[in-house]
Amino acid sequence: MTDWQTKKLGDIGVFTKGAGIPKDSAQSGELPAVRYGELYTSFDVFVKNTKSHIDQETASASVKIKKGDILFAGSGETIDEIGKSAVYQLDSEGYAGGDIVILRPDASQDSSFLGYALNSEMARRELRKIGQGQSVVHVYRKDLETLSLALPE
């Protein structure tokens, strides 16, 4: 029987923030990239291929992501969609655009499990509590760090 513990996301990995990748650069090259709006429109729990591909110049102003990183949408139109997340599953490095909050879980964590857990109704309820704003809702890294999840040992 597996024991479960409640842990804060800030205790199971390191958070960073994406940058760059304007819309007009989203198809400028061959390097895989994820823009925050794509988390809503193109991905469910996993990023298995990317819609955007950028050139090296755009990549130099962005943030590298690697397999197992969890990407959160930092803003949205409604409180119900805030913090939508997907696990980056490509073997090659990619790049995360602005308004994406990135969680790089510790090696001891199962990113696939976290992907499902963070998209569960229980996690969605907690995310709604930390979303801020009216016409555009935001979730910030400092708030995501405090989000608790029940995780198996």
Side-chain angles (χ1 to χ4, degrees):
M1 187 165 151
T2 301
D3 290 327
W4 291 67
Q5 280 189 320
T6 300
K7 294 185 179 181
K8 292 181 180 179
L9 292 184
D11 293 335
I12 64 166
V14 176
F15 279 92
T16 56
K17 184 139 175 29
I21 313 182
K23 188 174 185 175
D24 62 351
S25 296
Q27 297 304 322
S28 61
E30 300 296 320
L31 302 171
V34 179
R35 298 177 70 241
Y36 95 94
E38 295 167 352
L39 290 171
Y40 295 117
T41 60
S42 301
F43 308 113
D44 189 21
V45 176
F46 302 109
V47 176
K48 294 181 179 182
N49 56 46
T50 60
K51 305 296 179 193
S52 296
H53 297 86
I54 59 176
D55 59 24
Q56 191 59 52
E57 181 180 345
T58 304
S60 69
S62 186
V63 175
K64 282 185 184 179
I65 52 177
K66 67 178 193 173
K67 186 174 187 173
D69 286 353
I70 300 170
L71 313 177
F72 293 88
S75 62
E77 295 179 4
T78 69
I79 197 73
D80 289 327
E81 64 184 24
I82 195 59
K84 166 72 173 80
S85 65
V87 181
Y88 186 78
Q89 291 201 315
L90 279 75
D91 289 325
S92 59
E93 284 186 338
Y95 295 85
D99 227 2
I100 291 180
V101 179
I102 305 158
L103 169 60
R104 180 159 295 155
D106 297 335
S108 64
Q109 300 300 317
D110 181 333
S111 290
S112 294
F113 177 85
L114 289 171
Y116 286 116
L118 288 164
N119 282 286
S120 70
E121 185 52 39
M122 185 183 324
R124 302 293 317 140
R125 266 195 311 272
E126 295 304 310
L127 284 162
R128 285 191 287 271
K129 291 178 187 176
I130 62 175
Q132 301 173 24
Q134 296 296 324
S135 59
V136 177
V137 182
H138 299 278
V139 66
Y140 299 101
R141 179 169 99 183
K142 66 179 176 51
D143 298 317
L144 287 169
E145 289 173 345
T146 68
L147 187 73
S148 294
L149 279 181
L151 302 171
E153 289 274 331

